[in-house]
Amino acid sequence: MHDTVQQYYGETLTSSLDLQTNACKIDAGLPEYVKPILAQVHNEVLTRYYGCGLVLPELLEDLTVLDLGCGAGRDVYVISKLVGEHGRVIGVDMTEEQLMVARRHEEYHRKAFGHAAGNVLFLHGYIERLWELELTDGSVDVIVSNCVLNLAPDKAAVLREAWRVLKPGGELYFSDVYTDRRVPHALTGDPVLYGECLSGALYWNDFQQLSREHGFADPRLVDDHKITIGNAELAARTGNIRFYSATYRLFKLDNLEPACEDYGQSVVYRGTIPHHPHLFVLDKHHRIETGKHFPVCGNTWRMLHDTRFASHFEFYGNFERHYGIFAGCGMGLPYNDTANDTANDRTGGCC
């Protein structure tokens, strides 16, 4: 499918107006601090943007960030401003036509952002084979990707390579398209459906399992939106399959557990992350208010304590005493409390 995608994004599409659905042009509500940065991005780069979410995680200053499937470079250039002169952004894409657009505006953005020297690098290659681009083990702080994983034929290889190049405590923060069921094989060969980021999309539960198999033990959903297919012909081909744009954050932490385990821990957010003085949103289920004790499971504690977020939190508790599954995580005790509790008999159920 590499050739199909290269032709679709290199020749068939000349701007986002050529897309036949909205799957690859969903942009979550932009934070206020991003809007003036985006206003400085060259118009040609903006018109060649094909994305399904916002991939700008917090605390990027001075970091090395890798953008998988960077296209014409919109996200690379926004992030180049956020990492600053001492940071670096590497964009990888397999479509040379897209990279040509990105590269010819490097000097424009350097001047627009007031950098003494350029801090971006665009590489032509495949996101499944980052070793070919000499991206070494543990060399990247954060990886972002915007509506590209669904276009990769070997999604397992993408996750495997992401784990390899991330530093310990690093993060893969990305948006993509997911489905409520597995896409029939007959649709995956359709060049339009595939190019529109639909028929290559992963079934959400397969994505969860694939992430865990390649080291990312606890994928965290940050944001999601239902995708509507405005093209009647394409909608008819996909039938009852439902599509969603979703943003996930996956941390490279060796000691994460497969479930939310309760150790009686809590955190207090100091309110010191730039642009987030009152609230820090780790994911869809962890909205942590400034100054307030927030009970967390062991995995969440580690995602904050063993990463770039550590200095912005106070941590309470340890791992010495275990209290079972964390309440409210959807994985409660499966057994009856009494030997003859027929009213709560759970035999025949899956959970």
Side-chain angles (χ1 to χ4, degrees):
M1 296 302 294
H2 281 146
D3 292 340
T4 298
V5 175
Q6 285 176 305
Q7 181 176 2
Y8 201 74
Y9 285 86
E11 300 175 21
T12 304
L13 301 180
T14 59
S15 78
S16 58
L17 296 176
D18 295 329
L19 289 165
Q20 299 186 46
T21 74
N22 73 338
C24 292
K25 53 185 176 183
I26 294 175
D27 223 344
L30 289 171
E32 287 302 314
Y33 73 91
V34 176
K35 292 178 180 178
I37 302 174
L38 203 59
Q40 293 178 285
V41 175
H42 195 282
N43 188 62
E44 185 182 18
V45 172
L46 292 176
T47 59
R48 296 295 291 261
Y49 167 72
Y50 313 110
C52 61
L54 188 67
V55 290
L56 301 174
E58 309 82 3
L59 292 177
L60 296 180
E61 188 173 3
D62 298 339
L63 299 186
T64 296
V65 179
L66 172 64
D67 184 353
L68 299 179
C70 65
R74 192 202 78 158
D75 291 338
V76 167
Y77 284 122
V78 172
I79 293 171
S80 77
K81 173 66 174 178
L82 296 175
V83 301
E85 285 192 279
H86 301 292
R88 188 185 189 208
V89 191
I90 304 167
V92 174
D93 204 274
M94 67 177 179
T95 307
E96 189 61 57
E97 291 86 350
Q98 292 276 71
L99 290 176
M100 287 174 59
V101 174
R103 285 170 175 154
R104 66 170 160 254
H105 299 300
E106 287 186 45
E107 182 64 9
Y108 170 90
H109 291 98
R110 183 194 68 76
K111 291 180 179 179
F113 297 146
H115 294 160
N119 64 349
V120 303
L121 173 66
F122 293 101
L123 299 175
H124 182 236
Y126 299 97
I127 62 176
E128 304 98 319
R129 307 202 298 262
L130 297 178
W131 72 86
E132 295 180 344
L133 305 176
E134 299 183 1
L135 291 170
T136 57
D137 297 3
S139 60
V140 174
D141 296 291
V142 173
I143 298 174
V144 299
S145 184
N146 203 335
C147 208
V148 174
L149 184 64
N150 70 86
L151 297 172
D154 190 348
K155 296 168 176 58
V158 177
L159 293 174
R160 186 164 55 246
E161 279 292 276
W163 177 272
R164 181 183 67 80
V165 302
L166 278 173
K167 298 177 182 178
E171 178 183 9
L172 169 56
Y173 187 99
F174 71 110
S175 293
D176 219 281
V177 178
Y178 300 91
T179 63
D180 69 333
R181 65 198 72 188
R182 294 181 181 123
V183 177
H185 182 70
L187 295 182
T188 59
D190 186 308
V192 175
L193 287 176
Y194 203 95
E196 292 283 329
C197 303
L198 296 173
S199 63
L202 276 171
Y203 164 47
W204 70 269
N205 206 19
D206 286 344
F207 161 72
Q208 298 265 345
Q209 182 61 29
L210 197 63
S211 297
R212 295 184 178 105
E213 289 174 358
H214 291 86
F216 300 104
D218 190 355
R220 294 296 180 91
L221 175 63
V222 178
D223 188 42
D224 60 275
H225 304 276
K226 188 173 182 181
I227 292 173
T228 56
I229 303 175
N231 184 303
E233 180 186 348
L234 297 184
R237 287 191 225 170
T238 58
N240 292 325
I241 301 172
R242 287 181 289 176
F243 296 89
Y244 302 87
S245 165
T247 300
Y248 280 91
R249 62 191 333 158
L250 281 59
F251 290 95
K252 182 177 180 175
L253 294 167
D254 287 324
N255 50 8
L256 295 183
E257 300 182 271
C260 298
E261 304 292 349
D262 186 358
Y263 295 93
Q265 298 158 310
S266 67
V267 299
V268 174
Y269 174 45
R270 300 177 187 271
T272 51
I273 294 176
H275 313 295
H276 303 276
H278 307 299
L279 178 76
F280 173 72
V281 179
L282 176 67
D283 57 52
K284 196 172 179 178
H285 301 291
H286 294 82
R287 300 173 59 85
I288 308 173
E289 291 186 47
T290 300
K292 181 179 180 180
H293 273 270
F294 191 93
V296 294
C297 70
N299 281 359
T300 299
W301 196 90
R302 287 186 165 113
M303 289 175 184
L304 299 172
H305 185 272
D306 299 342
T307 66
R308 68 189 188 280
F309 299 113
S311 64
H312 300 275
F313 289 84
E314 298 170 14
F315 296 88
Y316 297 87
N318 50 46
F319 290 88
E320 293 180 1
R321 181 174 294 183
H322 180 234
Y323 298 96
I325 292 290
F326 199 90
C329 78
M331 295 181 64
L333 185 72
Y335 312 119
N336 296 331
D337 286 333
T338 61
N340 299 305
D341 187 359
T342 56
N344 292 312
D345 182 11
R346 299 174 187 175
T347 58
C350 66
C351 58

